[in-house]
Amino acid sequence: MSDFSSMLSALKQSASQVQSSDRKPARKDAESAVVPAVTSQQPRRQGRNKRSRDGVDEDFDTRVVPRFPHMHSSRRPRGAFELNWLVIGAQKAGTSWLHAQLSQCNCLRLPKRKKELHFFDWHFSKGFDWYSEQFGDKRENSLTGEVTPDYVVLSPSMIREIHNCFPRLKLVFLARDLTKRAWSAMCMELSQKVTGLQCGEFSSDAIVPQTKRQRLDNLTVAQRRRLQEQSSPDSMPDSYFMDRLSSKTHLSRSDYATHLRNWYEVFDDGNILLVDFNEISKPREVLAKIATHIGVNKDEAKRFVGSLAGDEVIRKVNAGAGKSALSERPRLESQITDYLAPFRSDFNKLLVQKGYDFAI
Ligand SMILES: Nc1ncnc2c1ncn2[C@@H]1O[C@H](COP(=O)(O)OS(=O)(=O)O)[C@@H](OP(=O)(O)O)[C@H]1O
């Protein structure tokens, strides 16, 4: 076998392992305890619990349960470290765009090196000193925060822990149409799977084995092109996507309301801002709203949005490369939409209850 064929067969094997592990029976954990009842036609929760090197889980799913519960109280921030705001989701809802814009606000202090720190799900054992070091220098009165869209699915106990440490924390959640969000997420997952990375590995250098990175770096142009063809959503049948949609990874991230209720349990309503993804089309207005919510004073917020370059602020960030439009597959689109309907109606109920005038 050529290097390329052996690599492809290893990748296919790893993809099938990911899929089959999704079908394990539901686990009774903190997360599943808060799931609303659903009918047999509706999404069901499933669990899996795969661990890799250094105790870091290899997929998103198990990260919703804190791995070091006994360390929580001893890991509270010491000294002056204060976290002021977090963007907690949703995954594939314009969070990279929001990060890019907020990074240009002089009053805000964001991570020095990358967008998502994943402290409260992956790196909590490293402690608050580590977390604090990830941010840039503190300017006077700057407000510290970061954008990790997976935080919304944190377990209730971790959310309580965050509240204990930072009771005045301001939270932002971008809510995107569930069907478009899921399609975007499944296409991203497909391309990662075919390139040999497990879900989530792409975003953390720390947990991607060096050998795997080197192997990807060393691919020839032709090999790279063939891998890209393999990861095209067009090469996958509708059943592939419906199967993936029923995995815990995608169900969990589609169930906005259940997870947000966990945050509302401990944080005041006024600390949580839910934002309609469609508002990104009026970028300056939505950015001024978000900036003032997280504590930037009105004049500064005005200065900040006024300083953003016209072309840059409307440019899509992290757009799904090579992803075909779901509207070209109307049957699949309506299947996904029907499947996610209970989550949509539950979230729309939450929006009404919290006084919002938009729906998804
Ligand atoms: N300005 C603007 N207007 C409209 N849409 C935008 C914009 N910026 C980003 N996007 C879309 O947001 C999707 C990526 O979301 P995230 O950055 O949150 O993804 S991630 O969770 O960080 O991977 C991704 O969606 P898809 O293209 O459907 O995949 C981006 O295209």
Side-chain angles (χ1 to χ4, degrees):
M1 257 202 304
S2 71
D3 281 358
F4 181 67
S5 335
S6 60
M7 188 173 66
L8 260 187
S9 86
L11 295 178
K12 279 182 184 152
Q13 198 184 350
S14 103
S16 69
Q17 278 163 1
V18 170
Q19 287 181 41
S20 61
S21 64
D22 277 343
R23 298 202 188 89
K24 285 182 188 166
R27 189 183 57 203
K28 284 195 176 156
D29 56 19
E31 191 198 17
S32 55
V34 292
V35 178
V38 288
T39 71
S40 57
Q41 296 303 311
Q42 295 166 349
R44 282 182 300 112
R45 289 189 169 250
Q46 295 166 353
R48 55 181 178 178
N49 194 11
K50 192 158 44 115
R51 290 287 169 102
S52 70
R53 320 149 293 281
D54 8 329
V56 177
D57 300 323
E58 280 194 337
D59 62 32
F60 291 131
D61 301 349
T62 45
R63 292 183 188 128
V64 296
V65 179
R67 289 182 298 274
F68 308 99
H70 57 288
M71 290 182 179
H72 288 184
S73 34
S74 60
R75 294 263 157 180
R76 294 212 174 128
R78 289 197 309 260
F81 180 70
E82 179 71 18
L83 186 68
N84 305 104
W85 58 272
L86 285 176
V87 176
I88 57 172
Q91 184 209 40
K92 306 313 288 182
T95 59
S96 306
W97 172 83
L98 182 54
H99 168 85
Q101 309 309 327
L102 295 180
S103 302
Q104 297 179 58
C105 180
N106 289 331
C107 311
L108 301 179
R109 180 180 175 231
L110 285 90
K112 296 186 268 212
R113 279 187 282 273
K114 57 181 178 181
K115 172 193 163 206
E116 301 180 18
L117 289 185
H118 281 280
F119 175 63
F120 295 105
D121 48 2
W122 302 355
H123 299 296
F124 197 64
S125 64
K126 294 181 178 168
F128 279 99
D129 289 344
W130 176 87
Y131 191 40
S132 157
E133 282 159 17
Q134 307 310 306
F135 292 92
D137 291 338
K138 174 128 180 83
R139 283 187 300 268
E140 205 185 338
N141 297 328
S142 61
L143 299 162
T144 303
E146 54 131 344
V147 180
T148 296
D150 277 334
Y151 284 161
V152 70
V153 300
L154 286 172
S155 69
S157 62
M158 180 53 95
I159 296 169
R160 274 195 300 277
E161 188 64 29
I162 295 173
H163 182 259
N164 285 343
C165 298
F166 311 108
R168 290 189 298 275
L169 187 67
K170 294 294 195 304
L171 302 158
V172 177
F173 179 83
L174 297 176
R176 186 179 187 186
D177 169 80
L178 291 183
T179 304
K180 294 195 174 91
R181 194 219 71 80
W183 177 247
S184 174
M186 289 191 289
C187 291
M188 176 178 76
E189 176 193 61
L190 185 57
S191 81
Q192 286 158 15
K193 234 187 240 175
V194 173
T195 53
L197 301 181
Q198 300 280 352
C199 309
E201 280 188 337
F202 70 102
S203 42
S204 172
D205 291 342
I207 61 170
V208 177
Q210 201 49 34
T211 48
K212 207 181 253 184
R213 276 247 179 263
Q214 275 162 3
R215 201 181 55 193
L216 288 171
D217 288 346
N218 293 337
L219 291 180
T220 64
V221 174
Q223 285 173 329
R224 220 172 266 281
R225 200 179 47 240
R226 283 172 66 184
L227 279 176
Q228 267 159 10
E229 280 162 17
Q230 293 270 327
S231 71
S232 163
D234 298 341
S235 64
M236 296 308 220
D238 292 1
S239 57
Y240 165 82
F241 291 105
M242 292 313 292
D243 188 47
R244 289 307 302 143
L245 190 59
S246 69
S247 71
K248 190 172 175 185
T249 290
H250 298 297
L251 283 187
S252 160
R253 278 153 192 77
S254 300
D255 189 359
Y256 296 168
T258 295
H259 293 291
L260 284 167
R261 284 195 191 99
N262 294 335
W263 292 86
Y264 277 113
E265 277 286 310
V266 290
F267 283 93
D268 290 341
D269 287 9
N271 286 44
I272 303 176
L273 178 69
L274 308 181
V275 178
D276 181 357
F277 172 86
N278 297 315
E279 288 185 51
I280 296 180
S281 62
K282 292 181 183 162
R284 289 192 178 77
E285 286 172 35
V286 75
L287 287 169
K289 179 166 84 172
I290 291 170
T292 45
H293 170 73
I294 64 187
V296 177
N297 80 43
K298 283 212 168 88
D299 291 339
E300 285 293 349
K302 225 169 160 182
R303 246 196 302 278
F304 155 55
V305 298
S307 72
L308 297 168
D311 292 350
E312 279 302 298
V313 76
I314 51 168
R315 197 174 56 84
K316 280 190 181 182
V317 179
N318 194 19
K323 173 170 82 64
S324 47
L326 182 58
S327 56
E328 285 162 22
R329 295 171 75 161
R331 207 172 70 102
L332 176 60
E333 185 175 24
S334 70
Q335 267 183 302
I336 295 176
T337 302
D338 291 350
Y339 190 73
L340 297 176
F343 292 151
R344 185 172 296 106
S345 93
D346 198 21
F347 180 63
N348 285 337
K349 262 189 236 155
L350 182 72
L351 287 171
V352 171
Q353 192 192 337
K354 300 296 176 190
Y356 287 88
D357 61 4
F358 73 93
I360 60 162

PDB file of all heavy atoms in Angstrom, residues 90-97 115-116 149 176 180 184 188 277 280 313-320 323, ligand 1:
ATOM      1  N   ALA A  90     -22.854  30.776  20.628  1.00  0.00           N
ATOM      2  CA  ALA A  90     -22.818  29.354  20.345  1.00  0.00           C
ATOM      3  C   ALA A  90     -21.697  29.042  19.360  1.00  0.00           C
ATOM      4  O   ALA A  90     -21.272  29.911  18.593  1.00  0.00           O
ATOM      5  CB  ALA A  90     -24.164  28.922  19.729  1.00  0.00           C
ATOM      6  N   GLN A  91     -21.268  27.786  19.396  1.00  0.00           N
ATOM      7  CA  GLN A  91     -20.288  27.347  18.410  1.00  0.00           C
ATOM      8  C   GLN A  91     -20.870  27.569  17.006  1.00  0.00           C
ATOM      9  O   GLN A  91     -22.069  27.319  16.778  1.00  0.00           O
ATOM     10  CB  GLN A  91     -20.023  25.841  18.640  1.00  0.00           C
ATOM     11  CG  GLN A  91     -18.955  25.269  17.738  1.00  0.00           C
ATOM     12  CD  GLN A  91     -19.171  23.794  17.466  1.00  0.00           C
ATOM     13  OE1 GLN A  91     -20.294  23.360  17.269  1.00  0.00           O
ATOM     14  NE2 GLN A  91     -18.089  23.032  17.470  1.00  0.00           N
ATOM     15  N   LYS A  92     -20.069  28.063  16.086  1.00  0.00           N
ATOM     16  CA  LYS A  92     -20.443  28.355  14.688  1.00  0.00           C
ATOM     17  C   LYS A  92     -21.517  29.448  14.583  1.00  0.00           C
ATOM     18  O   LYS A  92     -22.367  29.420  13.688  1.00  0.00           O
ATOM     19  CB  LYS A  92     -20.946  27.088  13.961  1.00  0.00           C
ATOM     20  CG  LYS A  92     -20.023  25.890  13.992  1.00  0.00           C
ATOM     21  CD  LYS A  92     -18.597  26.167  13.670  1.00  0.00           C
ATOM     22  CE  LYS A  92     -18.280  26.486  12.257  1.00  0.00           C
ATOM     23  NZ  LYS A  92     -16.816  26.706  12.061  1.00  0.00           N
ATOM     24  N   ALA A  93     -21.476  30.399  15.499  1.00  0.00           N
ATOM     25  CA  ALA A  93     -22.465  31.483  15.464  1.00  0.00           C
ATOM     26  C   ALA A  93     -21.787  32.842  15.374  1.00  0.00           C
ATOM     27  O   ALA A  93     -22.273  33.819  15.933  1.00  0.00           O
ATOM     28  CB  ALA A  93     -23.374  31.402  16.690  1.00  0.00           C
ATOM     29  N   GLY A  94     -20.663  32.907  14.705  1.00  0.00           N
ATOM     30  CA  GLY A  94     -20.004  34.203  14.517  1.00  0.00           C
ATOM     31  C   GLY A  94     -19.107  34.613  15.675  1.00  0.00           C
ATOM     32  O   GLY A  94     -18.751  35.786  15.805  1.00  0.00           O
ATOM     33  N   THR A  95     -18.698  33.660  16.489  1.00  0.00           N
ATOM     34  CA  THR A  95     -17.887  34.019  17.668  1.00  0.00           C
ATOM     35  C   THR A  95     -16.471  34.475  17.272  1.00  0.00           C
ATOM     36  O   THR A  95     -15.878  35.298  17.975  1.00  0.00           O
ATOM     37  CB  THR A  95     -17.804  32.858  18.682  1.00  0.00           C
ATOM     38  OG1 THR A  95     -17.215  31.720  18.041  1.00  0.00           O
ATOM     39  CG2 THR A  95     -19.178  32.494  19.224  1.00  0.00           C
ATOM     40  N   SER A  96     -15.935  33.936  16.161  1.00  0.00           N
ATOM     41  CA  SER A  96     -14.592  34.380  15.732  1.00  0.00           C
ATOM     42  C   SER A  96     -14.664  35.818  15.227  1.00  0.00           C
ATOM     43  O   SER A  96     -13.746  36.609  15.445  1.00  0.00           O
ATOM     44  CB  SER A  96     -14.036  33.485  14.614  1.00  0.00           C
ATOM     45  OG  SER A  96     -14.062  32.144  15.024  1.00  0.00           O
ATOM     46  N   TRP A  97     -15.756  36.133  14.550  1.00  0.00           N
ATOM     47  CA  TRP A  97     -15.967  37.518  14.107  1.00  0.00           C
ATOM     48  C   TRP A  97     -16.031  38.442  15.340  1.00  0.00           C
ATOM     49  O   TRP A  97     -15.358  39.481  15.391  1.00  0.00           O
ATOM     50  CB  TRP A  97     -17.271  37.612  13.304  1.00  0.00           C
ATOM     51  CG  TRP A  97     -17.659  39.011  12.973  1.00  0.00           C
ATOM     52  CD1 TRP A  97     -17.205  39.768  11.929  1.00  0.00           C
ATOM     53  CD2 TRP A  97     -18.564  39.847  13.706  1.00  0.00           C
ATOM     54  NE1 TRP A  97     -17.770  41.025  11.973  1.00  0.00           N
ATOM     55  CE2 TRP A  97     -18.611  41.100  13.057  1.00  0.00           C
ATOM     56  CE3 TRP A  97     -19.340  39.658  14.861  1.00  0.00           C
ATOM     57  CZ2 TRP A  97     -19.395  42.157  13.512  1.00  0.00           C
ATOM     58  CZ3 TRP A  97     -20.128  40.710  15.311  1.00  0.00           C
ATOM     59  CH2 TRP A  97     -20.149  41.945  14.636  1.00  0.00           C
ATOM     60  N   LYS A 115      -7.772  32.781  20.204  1.00  0.00           N
ATOM     61  CA  LYS A 115      -9.140  33.126  20.587  1.00  0.00           C
ATOM     62  C   LYS A 115      -9.619  32.315  21.801  1.00  0.00           C
ATOM     63  O   LYS A 115      -9.995  32.891  22.808  1.00  0.00           O
ATOM     64  CB  LYS A 115     -10.052  32.886  19.388  1.00  0.00           C
ATOM     65  CG  LYS A 115     -11.538  33.020  19.663  1.00  0.00           C
ATOM     66  CD  LYS A 115     -12.342  32.454  18.476  1.00  0.00           C
ATOM     67  CE  LYS A 115     -13.771  32.178  18.792  1.00  0.00           C
ATOM     68  NZ  LYS A 115     -14.364  31.147  17.943  1.00  0.00           N
ATOM     69  N   GLU A 116      -9.612  30.996  21.675  1.00  0.00           N
ATOM     70  CA  GLU A 116     -10.309  30.176  22.677  1.00  0.00           C
ATOM     71  C   GLU A 116      -9.342  29.626  23.711  1.00  0.00           C
ATOM     72  O   GLU A 116      -8.464  28.835  23.371  1.00  0.00           O
ATOM     73  CB  GLU A 116     -11.037  29.021  21.986  1.00  0.00           C
ATOM     74  CG  GLU A 116     -12.038  29.517  20.965  1.00  0.00           C
ATOM     75  CD  GLU A 116     -12.795  28.398  20.251  1.00  0.00           C
ATOM     76  OE1 GLU A 116     -12.815  27.259  20.765  1.00  0.00           O
ATOM     77  OE2 GLU A 116     -13.364  28.681  19.182  1.00  0.00           O
ATOM     78  N   PRO A 149     -16.617  29.344  22.623  1.00  0.00           N
ATOM     79  CA  PRO A 149     -18.031  29.028  22.404  1.00  0.00           C
ATOM     80  C   PRO A 149     -18.510  27.736  23.059  1.00  0.00           C
ATOM     81  O   PRO A 149     -19.717  27.563  23.238  1.00  0.00           O
ATOM     82  CB  PRO A 149     -18.155  28.953  20.875  1.00  0.00           C
ATOM     83  CG  PRO A 149     -16.773  28.992  20.326  1.00  0.00           C
ATOM     84  CD  PRO A 149     -15.879  29.554  21.367  1.00  0.00           C
ATOM     85  N   ARG A 176     -27.665  31.477  16.744  1.00  0.00           N
ATOM     86  CA  ARG A 176     -27.844  31.358  15.289  1.00  0.00           C
ATOM     87  C   ARG A 176     -28.932  30.333  14.986  1.00  0.00           C
ATOM     88  O   ARG A 176     -29.162  29.405  15.791  1.00  0.00           O
ATOM     89  CB  ARG A 176     -26.510  30.889  14.670  1.00  0.00           C
ATOM     90  CG  ARG A 176     -26.521  30.866  13.167  1.00  0.00           C
ATOM     91  CD  ARG A 176     -25.182  30.429  12.595  1.00  0.00           C
ATOM     92  NE  ARG A 176     -25.154  30.556  11.154  1.00  0.00           N
ATOM     93  CZ  ARG A 176     -24.162  30.142  10.389  1.00  0.00           C
ATOM     94  NH1 ARG A 176     -23.084  29.591  10.932  1.00  0.00           N
ATOM     95  NH2 ARG A 176     -24.218  30.288   9.075  1.00  0.00           N
ATOM     96  N   LYS A 180     -28.703  26.064  10.351  1.00  0.00           N
ATOM     97  CA  LYS A 180     -27.466  26.587   9.742  1.00  0.00           C
ATOM     98  C   LYS A 180     -26.272  26.338  10.655  1.00  0.00           C
ATOM     99  O   LYS A 180     -25.172  26.026  10.205  1.00  0.00           O
ATOM    100  CB  LYS A 180     -27.608  28.084   9.463  1.00  0.00           C
ATOM    101  CG  LYS A 180     -28.659  28.370   8.401  1.00  0.00           C
ATOM    102  CD  LYS A 180     -28.525  29.797   7.886  1.00  0.00           C
ATOM    103  CE  LYS A 180     -29.468  30.061   6.739  1.00  0.00           C
ATOM    104  NZ  LYS A 180     -30.770  30.584   7.187  1.00  0.00           N
ATOM    105  N   SER A 184     -23.061  24.024   9.599  1.00  0.00           N
ATOM    106  CA  SER A 184     -21.715  24.584   9.680  1.00  0.00           C
ATOM    107  C   SER A 184     -20.825  23.700  10.567  1.00  0.00           C
ATOM    108  O   SER A 184     -19.681  23.384  10.223  1.00  0.00           O
ATOM    109  CB  SER A 184     -21.815  26.006  10.257  1.00  0.00           C
ATOM    110  OG  SER A 184     -20.553  26.545  10.495  1.00  0.00           O
ATOM    111  N   MET A 188     -17.565  21.381   9.404  1.00  0.00           N
ATOM    112  CA  MET A 188     -16.253  21.578  10.037  1.00  0.00           C
ATOM    113  C   MET A 188     -15.730  20.238  10.583  1.00  0.00           C
ATOM    114  O   MET A 188     -14.575  19.883  10.390  1.00  0.00           O
ATOM    115  CB  MET A 188     -16.365  22.592  11.185  1.00  0.00           C
ATOM    116  CG  MET A 188     -15.072  22.790  11.961  1.00  0.00           C
ATOM    117  SD  MET A 188     -15.191  24.039  13.273  1.00  0.00           S
ATOM    118  CE  MET A 188     -16.095  23.167  14.535  1.00  0.00           C
ATOM    119  N   PHE A 277     -27.939  36.255  15.990  1.00  0.00           N
ATOM    120  CA  PHE A 277     -26.847  36.182  15.010  1.00  0.00           C
ATOM    121  C   PHE A 277     -27.085  37.142  13.827  1.00  0.00           C
ATOM    122  O   PHE A 277     -26.145  37.733  13.301  1.00  0.00           O
ATOM    123  CB  PHE A 277     -26.749  34.733  14.509  1.00  0.00           C
ATOM    124  CG  PHE A 277     -25.814  34.501  13.349  1.00  0.00           C
ATOM    125  CD1 PHE A 277     -24.469  34.273  13.559  1.00  0.00           C
ATOM    126  CD2 PHE A 277     -26.299  34.481  12.040  1.00  0.00           C
ATOM    127  CE1 PHE A 277     -23.607  34.031  12.486  1.00  0.00           C
ATOM    128  CE2 PHE A 277     -25.447  34.243  10.963  1.00  0.00           C
ATOM    129  CZ  PHE A 277     -24.100  34.024  11.190  1.00  0.00           C
ATOM    130  N   ILE A 280     -25.563  40.635  13.303  1.00  0.00           N
ATOM    131  CA  ILE A 280     -24.201  40.885  12.786  1.00  0.00           C
ATOM    132  C   ILE A 280     -24.273  41.712  11.502  1.00  0.00           C
ATOM    133  O   ILE A 280     -23.335  42.415  11.142  1.00  0.00           O
ATOM    134  CB  ILE A 280     -23.446  39.547  12.532  1.00  0.00           C
ATOM    135  CG1 ILE A 280     -23.229  38.804  13.848  1.00  0.00           C
ATOM    136  CG2 ILE A 280     -22.105  39.801  11.860  1.00  0.00           C
ATOM    137  CD1 ILE A 280     -22.495  37.486  13.694  1.00  0.00           C
ATOM    138  N   VAL A 313     -15.154  45.312   9.266  1.00  0.00           N
ATOM    139  CA  VAL A 313     -16.194  44.976  10.235  1.00  0.00           C
ATOM    140  C   VAL A 313     -17.319  44.140   9.627  1.00  0.00           C
ATOM    141  O   VAL A 313     -18.024  43.421  10.335  1.00  0.00           O
ATOM    142  CB  VAL A 313     -16.724  46.258  10.931  1.00  0.00           C
ATOM    143  CG1 VAL A 313     -17.653  47.033  10.012  1.00  0.00           C
ATOM    144  CG2 VAL A 313     -17.403  45.953  12.243  1.00  0.00           C
ATOM    145  N   ILE A 314     -17.456  44.188   8.296  1.00  0.00           N
ATOM    146  CA  ILE A 314     -18.506  43.363   7.687  1.00  0.00           C
ATOM    147  C   ILE A 314     -17.957  42.058   7.103  1.00  0.00           C
ATOM    148  O   ILE A 314     -18.703  41.196   6.671  1.00  0.00           O
ATOM    149  CB  ILE A 314     -19.277  44.130   6.582  1.00  0.00           C
ATOM    150  CG1 ILE A 314     -18.291  44.739   5.591  1.00  0.00           C
ATOM    151  CG2 ILE A 314     -20.208  45.177   7.154  1.00  0.00           C
ATOM    152  CD1 ILE A 314     -18.975  45.252   4.343  1.00  0.00           C
ATOM    153  N   ARG A 315     -16.635  41.916   7.135  1.00  0.00           N
ATOM    154  CA  ARG A 315     -16.019  40.720   6.536  1.00  0.00           C
ATOM    155  C   ARG A 315     -16.338  39.487   7.382  1.00  0.00           C
ATOM    156  O   ARG A 315     -16.247  39.525   8.613  1.00  0.00           O
ATOM    157  CB  ARG A 315     -14.493  40.919   6.469  1.00  0.00           C
ATOM    158  CG  ARG A 315     -13.775  39.981   5.522  1.00  0.00           C
ATOM    159  CD  ARG A 315     -12.300  40.359   5.421  1.00  0.00           C
ATOM    160  NE  ARG A 315     -11.637  40.393   6.723  1.00  0.00           N
ATOM    161  CZ  ARG A 315     -11.127  39.335   7.346  1.00  0.00           C
ATOM    162  NH1 ARG A 315     -11.190  38.153   6.789  1.00  0.00           N
ATOM    163  NH2 ARG A 315     -10.540  39.471   8.517  1.00  0.00           N
ATOM    164  N   LYS A 316     -16.702  38.380   6.712  1.00  0.00           N
ATOM    165  CA  LYS A 316     -16.945  37.133   7.443  1.00  0.00           C
ATOM    166  C   LYS A 316     -15.630  36.602   8.008  1.00  0.00           C
ATOM    167  O   LYS A 316     -14.610  36.642   7.319  1.00  0.00           O
ATOM    168  CB  LYS A 316     -17.529  36.066   6.525  1.00  0.00           C
ATOM    169  CG  LYS A 316     -19.009  36.232   6.277  1.00  0.00           C
ATOM    170  CD  LYS A 316     -19.562  35.013   5.568  1.00  0.00           C
ATOM    171  CE  LYS A 316     -21.038  35.199   5.314  1.00  0.00           C
ATOM    172  NZ  LYS A 316     -21.641  34.030   4.671  1.00  0.00           N
ATOM    173  N   VAL A 317     -15.659  36.116   9.216  1.00  0.00           N
ATOM    174  CA  VAL A 317     -14.460  35.524   9.814  1.00  0.00           C
ATOM    175  C   VAL A 317     -14.759  34.053  10.079  1.00  0.00           C
ATOM    176  O   VAL A 317     -15.838  33.723  10.580  1.00  0.00           O
ATOM    177  CB  VAL A 317     -14.113  36.247  11.150  1.00  0.00           C
ATOM    178  CG1 VAL A 317     -12.878  35.625  11.791  1.00  0.00           C
ATOM    179  CG2 VAL A 317     -13.912  37.738  10.917  1.00  0.00           C
ATOM    180  N   ASN A 318     -13.804  33.185   9.706  1.00  0.00           N
ATOM    181  CA  ASN A 318     -13.962  31.742   9.935  1.00  0.00           C
ATOM    182  C   ASN A 318     -15.134  31.168   9.143  1.00  0.00           C
ATOM    183  O   ASN A 318     -15.869  30.313   9.648  1.00  0.00           O
ATOM    184  CB  ASN A 318     -14.159  31.491  11.452  1.00  0.00           C
ATOM    185  CG  ASN A 318     -13.983  30.037  11.823  1.00  0.00           C
ATOM    186  OD1 ASN A 318     -13.391  29.255  11.067  1.00  0.00           O
ATOM    187  ND2 ASN A 318     -14.502  29.644  12.983  1.00  0.00           N
ATOM    188  N   ALA A 319     -15.307  31.643   7.920  1.00  0.00           N
ATOM    189  CA  ALA A 319     -16.388  31.104   7.076  1.00  0.00           C
ATOM    190  C   ALA A 319     -16.007  29.702   6.614  1.00  0.00           C
ATOM    191  O   ALA A 319     -14.842  29.430   6.344  1.00  0.00           O
ATOM    192  CB  ALA A 319     -16.608  32.020   5.882  1.00  0.00           C
ATOM    193  N   GLY A 320     -16.991  28.811   6.560  1.00  0.00           N
ATOM    194  CA  GLY A 320     -16.733  27.427   6.157  1.00  0.00           C
ATOM    195  C   GLY A 320     -16.184  27.363   4.740  1.00  0.00           C
ATOM    196  O   GLY A 320     -16.921  27.602   3.793  1.00  0.00           O
ATOM    197  N   LYS A 323     -17.497  24.861   1.661  1.00  0.00           N
ATOM    198  CA  LYS A 323     -18.718  24.210   2.142  1.00  0.00           C
ATOM    199  C   LYS A 323     -19.860  24.580   1.193  1.00  0.00           C
ATOM    200  O   LYS A 323     -20.083  25.741   0.906  1.00  0.00           O
ATOM    201  CB  LYS A 323     -18.976  24.749   3.548  1.00  0.00           C
ATOM    202  CG  LYS A 323     -20.265  24.349   4.182  1.00  0.00           C
ATOM    203  CD  LYS A 323     -20.238  24.767   5.643  1.00  0.00           C
ATOM    204  CE  LYS A 323     -20.593  26.215   5.869  1.00  0.00           C
ATOM    205  NZ  LYS A 323     -21.936  26.590   5.516  1.00  0.00           N
TER     206      LYS A 323
HETATM  207  N1  LIG B   1     -19.668  38.993   9.438  1.00  0.00           N
HETATM  208  C1  LIG B   1     -20.307  37.825   9.353  1.00  0.00           C
HETATM  209  N2  LIG B   1     -21.538  37.771   8.840  1.00  0.00           N
HETATM  210  C2  LIG B   1     -22.203  36.589   8.742  1.00  0.00           C
HETATM  211  N3  LIG B   1     -21.691  35.394   9.150  1.00  0.00           N
HETATM  212  C3  LIG B   1     -20.461  35.407   9.671  1.00  0.00           C
HETATM  213  C4  LIG B   1     -19.708  36.598   9.802  1.00  0.00           C
HETATM  214  N4  LIG B   1     -18.506  36.274  10.349  1.00  0.00           N
HETATM  215  C5  LIG B   1     -18.535  34.935  10.533  1.00  0.00           C
HETATM  216  N5  LIG B   1     -19.687  34.411  10.127  1.00  0.00           N
HETATM  217  C6  LIG B   1     -20.055  32.984  10.118  1.00  0.00           C
HETATM  218  O1  LIG B   1     -19.939  32.421  11.424  1.00  0.00           O
HETATM  219  C7  LIG B   1     -19.576  31.031  11.290  1.00  0.00           C
HETATM  220  C8  LIG B   1     -18.350  30.766  12.131  1.00  0.00           C
HETATM  221  O2  LIG B   1     -18.724  30.898  13.469  1.00  0.00           O
HETATM  222  P1  LIG B   1     -17.661  30.795  14.670  1.00  0.00           P
HETATM  223  O3  LIG B   1     -16.545  31.691  14.395  1.00  0.00           O
HETATM  224  O4  LIG B   1     -18.422  30.989  15.926  1.00  0.00           O
HETATM  225  O5  LIG B   1     -17.187  29.276  14.545  1.00  0.00           O
HETATM  226  S1  LIG B   1     -16.334  28.491  15.643  1.00  0.00           S
HETATM  227  O6  LIG B   1     -17.281  27.925  16.594  1.00  0.00           O
HETATM  228  O7  LIG B   1     -15.391  29.417  16.254  1.00  0.00           O
HETATM  229  O8  LIG B   1     -15.630  27.443  14.839  1.00  0.00           O
HETATM  230  C9  LIG B   1     -19.312  30.775   9.826  1.00  0.00           C
HETATM  231  O9  LIG B   1     -20.505  30.214   9.296  1.00  0.00           O
HETATM  232  P2  LIG B   1     -20.494  29.200   8.039  1.00  0.00           P
HETATM  233  O10 LIG B   1     -19.850  29.953   6.909  1.00  0.00           O
HETATM  234  O11 LIG B   1     -21.947  28.904   7.790  1.00  0.00           O
HETATM  235  O12 LIG B   1     -19.709  27.995   8.427  1.00  0.00           O
HETATM  236  C10 LIG B   1     -19.060  32.184   9.299  1.00  0.00           C
HETATM  237  O13 LIG B   1     -19.303  32.334   7.927  1.00  0.00           O
END
